Amino acid sequence: MKLWQNGAYLVNGKLSETGSNPDDGRKKTMAYSILQKHNTSGDDKKLKIKFDKITSHDITYVGIIQTARASGLEKFPLPYVLTNCHNSLCAVGGTINEDDHMFGLTCAQKYGGIYVPPHQAVIHQFAREMLAECGAMILGSDSHTRYGALGTMAIGEGGGELAKQLLNKTYDVAYPGVVAIYLTGSPVPGVGPQDVALAIIKAVFDNGYVKNKVMEFTGPGVANLSADFRIGVDVMTTETTCLSSIWRTDSKIEEWYAVHGRPSAYKELNPADGAYYDGAIEIDLGEIRPMIAMPFHPSCAYTIDEVNKNLMDILSETEKRAKVSFGDKVQFSLKNKVINGKLYVDQGVIAGCAGGGYENICAAADILKGKDSGNGKFLLNVYPASMPVYKALMENGAFSALVDAGAIIKTAFCGPCFGAGDTPANGAFSIRHSTRNFPNREGSKIQNGQLSSVALMDARSIAATAANKGFLTPATEYDTEFSGKKYFFDKTIYEKRVYDSKGVAHPEVEIQFGPNIKDWPEQKALGDNLLVKIVSEIHDPVTTTDELIPSGETSSFRSNPLGLAEFTLSRKDPAYVGRAKAVRDLTDEIKAEIKTAVDTLTKKDAELGKLASSAQTGSSIFAVKPGDGSAREQAASCQRVLGASANIANEYATKRYRSNLINWGMLPFIYKDGDKNLPFANDDYVFIPGIKKMIEEKLPSIKAYAVKKNGTVNEFELSVGDLTDDERKIILSGCLINFYRN
C-alpha cells in the first residue's frame, strides 16, 4: 500500500504526478459532480447541500423529530426512513423501547415518512436495498452512513443536521479534499472486505490522511470486486475519519440494482480523464492478507499471521493501550488466552451493516460446512443484515451449514456493534465482523469492574477460527471452495411489513408518546462574557463518543435528554455529572468558587473583575482530540443539558462531533499548544471576556484567563476555527432549536 505525499492526476486510467491545472482537475472527480449537483449556494467552495433522502434509527429519530417539531416541523419535505435496529429487542427499561417505536410509526404517518419495524433490517442495509441511487446523496444520523459502493454519496452526522433537512435548510460544509483510492489486482481466496478495510484504516487513521475528505475508489481492481465486497469495504471508511466515499460503478452494480428490482437507480459513474486528487492511496488487493484489529481501535490492525507469529509482543502492545484507556481502574490482559502458543477466542460474531451481508455469511457457511465449533466456551452468533438476506440464506442452505457447525442464527440487529447484545463474560475476548472495537463498546462496564474486549476480523476468518474450535486462524489456511451462490431479493417482505407513506402526510394522526419521551430543556442564548469551570480533563490521544456518552443499555434513554445525561462520561470520568450539575444549578459551593474567581480576576485587573462578575456561567471539558466514532448528537447534547457551554480541545476528531457541539450552542474552542503544561486544570475557572463579540465579528481568536486555585491567573489564546454564518447564529442563539424558533 502506497500513500502519495502530494496530489495525483488520473490520466488514461492511471495515477500520474503530472497533468493539467489542479483546479480544473478537481472538477473532474465523481465527488465534485455529485456535490455540486446537490449544492444550492452557487459557490463551489462553500457548499449548502440538500440531500435526496435521510435516514435514522431508533436511538436517534425521536430526538431529531422532537428538535424539528420544536422548530416548526409540519411535514417531512423529503423521504425520511425510520428504522428500528438498535433498540429492537425491547429488553431494557420496561416499555421504553417500544414506546419509541410507536412514536416513530405515528410520526411517519403524521409527517409522511417510512417506518421499518424491528428485526426487518439494519439501517444501512435497508438504505442500500431501497434508497441508494447512483449520483444521489443520503444523510443519516449514524456515522456508518456509507453507500458509496452503490454510487451514492452518503454522510453520517448528528441529529441536528437531519433536523435542518426536515426544516428545508441545508448542510453547510466547505468543499472537501478528495483522495483517490486506486485499486489493482484481486483478493486471494479467504480474504474478505473487512481485511481490505482494516488495512486501509491502519494506513491512514493516525496520520489523518483522509480526515474530513472524500475517499474516491477507482482503478482496475474495482472491477474485480463484487458489489457486496465493495459494500463491506465502503462501510468501514467511516473509521478512517473521512467525510464520505464514492466508487466508480460498472456492470456489477448495474446487476445489483436489477436484482433488487430498481434498475432505473443505476447509472455509470467514473472520474473524467485528468481528474485531480489531493492525495492517493495505491492498493494491490492481491497483497492483502487476513487482518485482525486488536483492542481498542480499528486502526490497531495486524495480519493474523503476524499476530500468531509475534503473539506475546502484540499482546503486550495491547496491554499498553489498555493502560492508556483504563489506567489502574481494571487489570487487562489477553495473555491468559494463550494456550500452547495459540490465541484462544471466547466468542465470534458476524453482524450488522458490515458483517451481515449475503456474501459474507455465505462464505462463512462454505468454510464451516461439514465442520463444527465444538462444545467449549467458543460461541458463534450470526445476524443477517435484513430479512430478505435472511430468507435467501435460509433457502440456499447456508443457514443449515452454519447451524450444523454450532452457530446461532439471529435476526437483523445492531446490538453487537454498540454493546446491546452478545456482551462477553468478564475477561473474555470476542472477534467480530462489525464496525468498531472501542473500549467497553461490547457492553462491559469498567465502573463495575467489568472488562471484556473485541477484535475486528472478516467473517471468513471468524468462520475459520470457529472451525478451529476458537483458536485464532486466518481463512487462508483453509482450502475452501467458495460456492458463490446467487442472491435473490424478495421485496414483498418489505411490502408487507414496512409502512411507506409515499410522501403523503396525515396531519390528523396523533403522535403516540411514552412516559420516557421528553422535550429538550430550554437553553439560554450566548452572553457577552463567559465564565466556565473545567469539570473534566482527559489526556487520552483520542476520546471517542462512546466514552463521552456510553452506548449499550443507555440507548434506552436517548428519548429522555435529562435521563440520558446522567450517564455522561460515566465510564471515563464518573465524577463529571456531579461536577457539571453543580455548576449548572449554581450550588452554594459553586457560588463561593465563582466569587473567589471574580475576586482573583479583580486583583489582576478591575475591569476584568467587573466583566466576570456578571458573566454567563457554564462548564467545559478539556480533551486532546474528542469525537472519534459515532455520529450521535447526544455526545454533545448530554453535556449541554448538564450546563456545558463549551469544549476545549487541541483538535476535534471528526467534523460531525464539532457540528454536534455547535448545533447545541456549545463553543468548539481550540487550544493549539498541546496538552502538556495546560494553563488550566480540572476544577479551575476560565474567563472568556467578549465571547459574544468574537462570534459576531468573526474574530480569529480571543484572550482567555485561567483562574488557578492558588490565586494566579494565566492568560492564553483560544480560537473556534471556521464557522459558517448560520453556525455563528446557532451559537449566539444558544442552540439549533432556538435559532429556528426565532
Side-chain angles (χ1 to χ4, degrees), residues 673-692:
D673 293 334
D675 70 321
K676 308 299 182 187
N677 301 314
L678 287 172
F680 53 82
N682 205 18
D683 284 334
D684 288 344
Y685 282 82
V686 174
F687 179 50
I688 309 107
I691 183 60
K692 185 175 181 180

Side-chain angles (χ1 to χ4, degrees), residues 74 129 247 270 302 374:
E74 295 181 356
E129 293 170 349
W247 294 57
N270 276 300
Y302 310 83

Side-chain angles (χ1 to χ4, degrees), residues 9-51:
Y9 292 89
L10 190 65
V11 181
N12 296 323
K14 296 183 179 180
L15 292 177
S16 171
E17 294 180 355
T18 59
S20 61
N21 184 289
D23 289 338
D24 293 336
R26 285 189 176 94
K27 298 179 180 180
K28 296 180 178 181
T29 64
M30 294 180 285
Y32 183 89
S33 62
I34 295 173
L35 285 167
Q36 297 308 329
K37 174 186 171 184
H38 294 83
N39 178 27
T40 64
S41 71
D43 184 338
D44 66 358
K45 293 183 175 59
K46 295 182 179 179
L47 309 181
K48 288 182 173 292
I49 300 295
K50 282 205 168 184
F51 289 84

Side-chain angles (χ1 to χ4, degrees), residues 512-658:
Q512 184 170 326
F513 290 89
N516 187 58
I517 298 175
K518 305 294 185 184
D519 292 332
W520 293 108
E522 292 288 331
Q523 300 299 332
K524 294 180 180 178
L526 181 65
D528 292 329
N529 310 295
L530 184 62
L531 180 67
V532 298
K533 182 177 182 179
I534 305 299
V535 290
S536 186
E537 185 180 350
I538 305 171
H539 290 270
D540 290 3
V542 179
T543 302
T544 69
T545 48
D546 284 89
E547 292 167 310
L548 293 165
I549 183 65
S551 55
E553 83 279 12
T554 60
S555 64
S556 294
F557 296 93
R558 298 276 174 89
S559 307
N560 183 341
L562 291 172
L564 181 64
E566 294 293 325
F567 296 94
T568 311
L569 278 169
S570 58
R571 294 176 185 167
K572 193 70 187 172
D573 184 358
Y576 166 80
V577 171
R579 291 194 193 112
K581 288 168 72 173
V583 178
R584 181 195 66 186
D585 299 339
L586 287 175
T587 64
D588 290 342
E589 182 180 357
I590 294 298
K591 287 178 181 177
E593 290 178 359
I594 290 173
K595 183 180 185 304
T596 300
V598 170
D599 290 345
T600 302
L601 287 165
T602 301
K603 290 177 184 178
K604 176 179 175 62
D605 185 308
E607 183 61 24
L608 274 182
K610 181 180 178 182
L611 294 174
S613 66
S614 60
Q616 187 176 65
T617 57
S619 62
S620 177
I621 67 169
F622 169 80
V624 174
K625 189 178 179 181
D628 184 28
S630 170
R632 68 183 70 128
E633 66 179 294
Q634 292 90 349
S637 66
C638 283
Q639 296 176 56
R640 184 61 165 160
V641 301
L642 290 172
S645 301
N647 274 194
I648 302 176
N650 296 146
E651 65 173 303
Y652 292 94
T654 58
K655 174 198 172 297
R656 53 186 175 268
Y657 177 69
R658 183 174 179 272

